Amino acid sequence: MSAEPGTPPSLDYEKQLSLDEKKDVKQVEVLEEDDGNFGVLESERDIATHVITVQDDPTLNPWTVRAFIIGLGLSTFGGVLAQIYYFKPQTVLVSTMFLAIISYVLGIAMETAIPSRGFFRFLNPQPFNKKENAFIVIMASAAANSALGTEVLAVQRLFYNITPNPAASIFLLFSSQLLGYGIGGLFRSVLLYPSKMLYPSNLPLVSMFDALFKDASGAQKKLRLFWIAFFAVFIWELFPEWIFPLLTGFSIFCLANQKSQDFTRIFGGSNGNEGLGLLSICFDWQYISGGNAIIPWLSLYVPNFPILSDTSYACKVVFVAVYYKNIWQSKDFPFLSQELFYPNGTVYDQLLILNDKFEVDPELLAQQGLPFYAGTWVVQLLTTNLGMGATFAHLLIWNRDDLTKAWSWLAPSQLKKSWQSFNWKFWQDDGKRDDQYDDENLDPHYREMLKYPDAPNSWYLVTLFISIIMALVIIYKTDSTLPWWGFLISVLLATISIVFFGALYAITGLQFIIQPFIQMIGGFIHPGKPMANMYFVLFGYNSVTQAQLLLKDLKIAQYTKLPPRAAFTAQIIGTLLGSILNFSSYLLPTYAWKCHSPITSVLMNSIIDNQRDILLSVEGTNIWSGQQPQQYNSQAIAWGGLSHELFAIGKRYQFVAWAYLIGFLVPIPFWIMHKLWPRLRADYLYTPVICYYIGWLCVGINSSILSYFSIAWFSQWWLRTRYPRWFTKYNYVLAAALDGGTQVMIFILSFAVFGASGDSHLFPQWWGANQNGMICQPSMLLSAADAFIFS
């Protein structure tokens, strides 16, 4: 049990290897060798043991200088890419596949170019291996997330004329990013180790690792497919992104009737906040996939994606009904928007209702009047809260035993045991887990990890304790207006939410956006204080997101057999470096006038300066959009400053708050139905997901929806059921190639032609590249192509 990473397992460990695990490993071996057909993968355990390998080579060492060099470099690189994606019309994440590809190429290059003898053996001690690659990816992905704390600091400076000192700002980012790590790490036994906690978004990545680092003939076929698809999509993305933007959303209806705003709202969707994209076809993989929580390749449960498809049409019906029935005066405002508006439809100026203490002044508010939301955004807030309540009820009904286990550590006997075994010299904790060998239901991947010393709970407790102390100091040093008791409530909300929404994310891949719920609670307990609401959301919502990211990366480590302490080290280094990079991006707009450095044209300052008009517009373009900062700012004012005036009982948007309580009732009829008529399989109806997706199309590029579900049906039903062997061997490798090739090209185009580092260089105007306005707008596109298309 005390074996160090990179050493063979002990004989005792071999004796303790269970028959269940040997069976799982044997199944994988047969799968690789058998050329015949086999059954469809049904359970999470089937998927985890057949799509990716269970076997481990304990001689592989991740602790190399090469891994740290590449990891630190890609952490910096990923941080820059995250800033680019922050200003996209659709929420796009830095793909872990993208980072894996680059790290693999760099690792093999160092292995090939650097001698392995003498002094150079320090840099090239062994062939580049899978565990080094996983170590690098975990470090870089931890850094490649735009910290919410940066946004809070920027809003403080821009809207409240407060610029916290650099030390306070850095520690704010550290505390807000690591707080969720500390909480999430304590729930590893429930949200990480079991087979049912699949984390489906990790499967393409780990499948790709298996393909890259195995020498079997089958692996060579996977590699061949991977590189063909990678370079094919790499070249293809030039067309929808630059040469032929019409391919982002090809709509026959928009082309046939460009003068109708009604057609634009319903069938448009190739630009941000343009329309619902009904029957539009998207050929841009960036928006079909987008790095989102649920992408076609990851809809592992067959019944889920047709349900989501039907729900997307329900969303369209609800949005159109709300708008054309003029509910909440929807016709007075844009069809899709995240801004606040005056009754005449102009953007609301929140600065005119705040006093010098950054609180809402009743007299100023009376002069300006209460703001309005676009009707479709109200639907999104309402359905998000509906899904929130449904999540709690659904998990309490269907996963009661798992939740009981999640809170078992609070039992007096467990607390006493933890206290007796706690070693204040946490760095000396050996992390032994001898009592877990006898568990017959232990996940086979996790069983392989037991040979390595764990990163014990005490490490995560120390991380949590340090984060809380830093946060309590910082909320007063930064003039946040958030009291200490408000901070503790936000931490309590985060802890409860991590258990429920961490399980939801692990099982389905859906990273549920609980920001409105946290803002609602913060708004009602801190009325009239929008800045306090921002900090409340920072610690209450961002901690949940960080915990999900921690557990997702730890699952990568479990699937690749990366030792737990190596994974912990990679995550902490990547997170801290990412926070510093995010703060540097925040500093650029503030101090650019002082330093006049060329580097200020590279990150966020450059994008804001060169694309300011687009970022401030309601719609944006198919390349740039300010939808994320717009919604964060408007939510802070509405919930933090005006919650009692807008969302309380009897007020304009009262049902947004009531939806949370109504959501508790949603799963109950389906549970009763399943108990009475189990053959109907009502247990497949994941009600939180259904509720959430009714408000799904409230923002972004919506022309990709039809393509999204068409590929999902083809992959997850037709291929998975008709050709299960091909699906198992190649589906996730192909997904990795498509994501990787796309994001490599997007990064190059962002700096080369899209204006991330200077002026934009759009492709010359032609009928497929409308550079004067939206694709679905009057007489801007087909003037030169009407005869060509409709002749």
Side-chain angles (χ1 to χ4, degrees), residues 609-628:
D609 287 345
N610 290 289
Q611 314 298 334
R612 178 175 292 275
D613 291 341
I614 294 175
L615 299 181
L616 292 176
S617 67
V618 172
E619 289 185 338
T621 68
N622 68 323
I623 299 173
W624 300 113
S625 172
Q627 52 99 358
Q628 292 199 69

Side-chain angles (χ1 to χ4, degrees), residues 447-458:
R447 190 180 295 278
E448 287 286 335
M449 296 289 285
L450 295 178
K451 68 171 74 75
Y452 303 114
D454 193 16
N457 281 343
S458 59

Side-chain angles (χ1 to χ4, degrees), residues 745-758:
M745 178 55 74
I746 296 303
F747 179 83
I748 294 172
L749 290 177
S750 294
F751 286 100
V753 298
F754 289 161
S757 60

Side-chain angles (χ1 to χ4, degrees), residues 336-355:
L336 300 176
S337 179
Q338 299 75 50
E339 296 273 22
L340 291 171
F341 297 95
Y342 288 106
N344 62 6
T346 58
V347 177
Y348 196 80
D349 188 350
Q350 70 267 22
L351 297 179
L352 298 180
I353 65 173
L354 301 179
N355 59 24

Side-chain angles (χ1 to χ4, degrees), residues 3 92 107 120 273 424 496 510 756:
V92 181
F120 293 102
N273 289 346
W424 70 271
I496 297 173
L510 174 65

Side-chain angles (χ1 to χ4, degrees), residues 310-580:
D310 294 340
T311 305
S312 73
Y313 286 105
C315 174
K316 294 180 174 70
V317 172
V318 171
F319 278 11
V320 169
V322 166
Y323 184 81
Y324 287 101
K325 289 293 184 179
N326 203 28
I327 300 173
W328 301 304
Q329 298 178 227
S330 296
K331 285 190 174 182
D332 295 332
F333 317 113
F335 182 56
L336 300 176
S337 179
Q338 299 75 50
E339 296 273 22
L340 291 171
F341 297 95
Y342 288 106
N344 62 6
T346 58
V347 177
Y348 196 80
D349 188 350
Q350 70 267 22
L351 297 179
L352 298 180
I353 65 173
L354 301 179
N355 59 24
D356 56 358
K357 296 180 180 179
F358 315 113
E359 299 175 352
V360 174
D361 188 309
E363 294 183 1
L364 296 177
L365 179 62
Q367 296 174 10
Q368 297 296 316
L370 290 173
F372 285 79
Y373 272 125
T376 52
W377 187 253
V378 179
V379 173
Q380 191 273 340
L381 295 175
L382 193 151
T383 56
T384 298
N385 277 356
L386 198 69
M388 283 280 302
T391 298
F392 286 107
H394 185 98
L395 293 176
L396 286 170
I397 292 173
W398 297 99
N399 301 87
R400 188 184 307 107
D401 293 339
D402 296 322
L403 295 177
T404 300
K405 184 178 178 182
W407 294 102
S408 62
W409 61 278
L410 281 177
S413 59
Q414 289 295 323
L415 291 175
K416 182 179 179 180
K417 181 179 178 181
S418 299
W419 175 254
Q420 291 174 346
S421 62
F422 182 78
N423 183 7
W424 70 271
K425 297 180 180 180
F426 60 91
W427 57 90
Q428 296 180 352
D429 194 326
D430 59 13
K432 288 186 176 181
R433 296 159 289 173
D434 302 281
D435 56 335
Q436 298 186 41
Y437 280 111
D438 298 329
D439 186 354
E440 296 180 355
N441 298 317
L442 202 63
D443 178 76
H445 292 281
Y446 178 60
R447 190 180 295 278
E448 287 286 335
M449 296 289 285
L450 295 178
K451 68 171 74 75
Y452 303 114
D454 193 16
N457 281 343
S458 59
W459 292 21
Y460 292 97
L461 280 171
V462 170
T463 301
L464 177 60
F465 178 76
I466 294 175
S467 300
I468 289 176
I469 296 301
M470 281 194 297
L472 286 172
V473 174
I474 293 304
I475 60 175
Y476 289 98
K477 288 293 184 181
T478 55
D479 298 323
S480 69
T481 71
L482 178 69
W484 64 267
W485 56 268
F487 165 75
L488 294 180
I489 292 176
S490 71
V491 174
L492 178 61
L493 280 174
T495 303
I496 297 173
S497 299
I498 285 169
V499 174
F500 286 89
F501 297 100
L504 181 70
Y505 179 55
I507 295 170
T508 68
L510 174 65
Q511 194 168 15
F512 205 92
I513 306 299
I514 67 168
Q515 180 180 334
F517 170 72
I518 301 295
Q519 284 176 314
M520 178 180 71
I521 300 299
F524 280 114
I525 65 176
H526 302 296
K529 296 183 177 181
M531 193 158 61
N533 189 268
M534 287 192 297
Y535 276 81
F536 189 88
V537 171
L538 173 63
F539 294 110
Y541 163 61
N542 189 63
S543 297
V544 178
T545 302
Q546 286 299 106
Q548 292 171 332
L549 292 175
L550 168 107
L551 294 165
K552 172 180 175 290
D553 286 347
L554 288 180
K555 197 69 176 186
I556 294 175
Q558 183 170 310
Y559 284 149
T560 59
K561 316 308 178 294
L562 178 68
R565 296 187 176 186
F568 180 87
T569 302
Q571 287 179 313
I572 295 298
I573 292 176
T575 300
L576 296 180
L577 179 59
S579 297
I580 295 173

Side-chain angles (χ1 to χ4, degrees), residues 217-372:
S217 59
Q220 294 301 317
K221 293 180 181 179
K222 291 180 181 180
L223 277 174
R224 191 180 307 117
L225 174 64
F226 175 85
W227 289 116
I228 291 173
F230 177 89
F231 286 111
V233 77
F234 176 80
I235 298 301
W236 168 255
E237 279 298 313
L238 272 171
F239 291 91
E241 282 296 305
W242 189 48
I243 299 173
F244 198 173
L246 180 62
L247 295 174
T248 301
F250 189 86
S251 173
I252 293 296
F253 298 93
C254 280
L255 294 176
N257 189 352
Q258 298 177 69
K259 296 183 179 181
S260 171
Q261 291 294 326
D262 295 331
F263 268 52
T264 300
R265 296 184 187 105
I266 297 173
F267 300 106
S270 58
N271 287 284
N273 289 346
E274 184 184 65
L276 298 178
L278 180 63
L279 301 181
S280 293
I281 302 175
C282 179
F283 297 94
D284 188 343
W285 186 258
Q286 175 186 208
Y287 295 118
I288 296 174
S289 169
N292 290 324
I294 295 182
I295 62 175
W297 306 98
L298 307 181
S299 304
L300 293 172
Y301 301 98
V302 177
N304 270 1
F305 76 81
I307 292 170
L308 291 180
S309 178
D310 294 340
T311 305
S312 73
Y313 286 105
C315 174
K316 294 180 174 70
V317 172
V318 171
F319 278 11
V320 169
V322 166
Y323 184 81
Y324 287 101
K325 289 293 184 179
N326 203 28
I327 300 173
W328 301 304
Q329 298 178 227
S330 296
K331 285 190 174 182
D332 295 332
F333 317 113
F335 182 56
L336 300 176
S337 179
Q338 299 75 50
E339 296 273 22
L340 291 171
F341 297 95
Y342 288 106
N344 62 6
T346 58
V347 177
Y348 196 80
D349 188 350
Q350 70 267 22
L351 297 179
L352 298 180
I353 65 173
L354 301 179
N355 59 24
D356 56 358
K357 296 180 180 179
F358 315 113
E359 299 175 352
V360 174
D361 188 309
E363 294 183 1
L364 296 177
L365 179 62
Q367 296 174 10
Q368 297 296 316
L370 290 173
F372 285 79

